[in-house]
Amino acid sequence: MKLGRVASPDGVAFVAVEGEPGQETAREIAEHPFGTPTFTGRSWQLSQTRILAPILATKIIAIGKNYAAHAAEMGGEAPADPVIFMKPNTSIIGPEAPIVRPPSSERVDYEGELAIVIGRPCKDVPAAKADEVILGYTVANDVTARDQQQHDGQWTRGKGYDTFCPLGPWIVTDFDPSDVQIKTELDGEVKQSSRTSLMLHSVGEIVEWVSRVMTLLPGDVILTGTPEGIGPMTAGQRVSVSVEGIGTLSNPVVDK
């Protein structure tokens, strides 16, 4: 199932997206998408709606340096254990919403990633049982003010600006994350191309590690790390992140 959020002629709603590409229908979900969704009976052509970020997370947890080649391009060794940091939920935007570069940064980078969406409250989840607490997966861009990340030494400011966490276009619930292509394009030119099989820490290991530290709640998002090929974006450009089996998340870039 593809789960999303849309702004329709009747308001904002969680929906199930059904049908062939270009002919999709958005069926309105009653209340929320967790558990077994029930439907209101209303539906719209997806093309007649505006696709929003598929979830508004309580928190966003991200994994740093989870691809060896990316750790190398950042000038360090690949970490033995997952390195976690957080982004505020106010950084979330949906497809086609502009990424806003703050005037305080001279370099704002794209970081295409696969994102996990949690489906129920959980704590201390064994890696082998991670599937039981995951609602599904979506596409993310861990936008980063690289100069501020390097200056500060910790990453909250450089990762935390409004618009710095595009998510979408939807959450896919029936998805195997073990070996799919992840690709980032800037103005149509491929900048990142890798496979999730090259992650140093698997989805199960990530959920286990993070849930040892904090309780995870329905809708929480975990970003699984970016492959090599990071680079800057400038105003007027467009960045598109694609994950095989999910879709493409595309956003224009503007200056504040």
Side-chain angles (χ1 to χ4, degrees):
M1 182 179 289
K2 292 180 181 178
L3 302 172
R5 281 175 66 247
V6 300
S8 77
D10 301 303
V12 173
F14 284 110
V15 296
V17 178
E18 302 172 345
E20 296 299 316
Q23 301 293 323
E24 297 102 331
T25 297
R27 279 211 296 157
E28 186 179 34
I29 294 172
E31 298 183 353
H32 59 71
F34 306 107
T36 303
T38 58
F39 296 90
T40 66
R42 294 198 299 184
S43 65
W44 310 273
Q45 289 297 310
L46 187 64
S47 60
Q48 296 176 351
T49 70
R50 180 164 58 91
I51 301 175
L52 307 174
I55 203 74
L56 294 177
T58 301
K59 54 186 175 289
I60 307 159
I61 307 99
I63 308 299
K65 301 180 181 179
N66 198 28
Y67 290 78
H70 172 57
E73 77 176 347
M74 293 293 287
E77 296 289 329
D81 296 319
V83 175
I84 63 175
F85 61 94
M86 297 183 72
K87 295 169 78 83
N89 58 7
T90 48
S91 65
I92 293 174
I93 56 173
E96 296 301 325
I99 297 167
V100 181
R101 295 176 1 122
S104 58
S105 175
E106 295 182 358
R107 175 173 168 172
V108 174
D109 284 11
Y110 52 80
E111 292 192 10
E113 309 200 11
L114 171 70
I116 304 163
V117 182
I118 298 298
R120 64 180 179 84
C122 58
K123 183 76 168 71
D124 298 320
V125 180
K129 295 187 176 182
D131 285 351
E132 298 177 11
V133 304
I134 293 172
L135 174 65
Y137 299 84
T138 190
V139 185
N141 188 346
D142 177 20
V143 179
T144 304
R146 190 70 64 198
D147 50 351
Q148 295 178 6
Q149 179 192 28
Q150 293 170 345
H151 178 271
D152 294 353
Q154 59 83 31
W155 303 350
T156 303
R157 180 170 68 126
K159 300 278 192 176
Y161 285 94
D162 291 357
T163 77
F164 271 28
C165 190
L167 293 176
W170 36 63
I171 299 163
V172 176
T173 59
D174 183 15
F175 182 79
D176 181 356
S178 59
D179 184 27
V180 295
Q181 184 189 42
I182 181 168
K183 178 177 67 175
T184 303
E185 297 171 272
L186 188 65
D187 286 343
E189 180 181 352
V190 176
K191 296 293 187 178
Q192 294 181 287
S193 182
S194 188
R195 301 194 69 84
T196 56
S197 55
L198 296 175
M199 291 195 301
L200 298 172
H201 308 287
S202 69
V203 164
E205 292 166 342
I206 289 168
V207 172
E208 179 177 280
W209 184 267
V210 174
S211 68
R212 284 177 182 172
V213 177
M214 65 190 78
T215 297
L216 296 172
L217 301 175
D220 282 351
V221 172
I222 304 177
L223 310 186
T224 60
T226 196
E228 74 278 11
I230 60 168
M233 306 174 290
T234 58
Q237 293 188 299
R238 172 175 290 272
V239 60
S240 300
V241 183
S242 301
V243 174
E244 180 184 4
I246 300 179
T248 298
L249 168 67
S250 188
N251 299 89
V253 183
V254 301
D255 282 337
K256 186 173 181 179

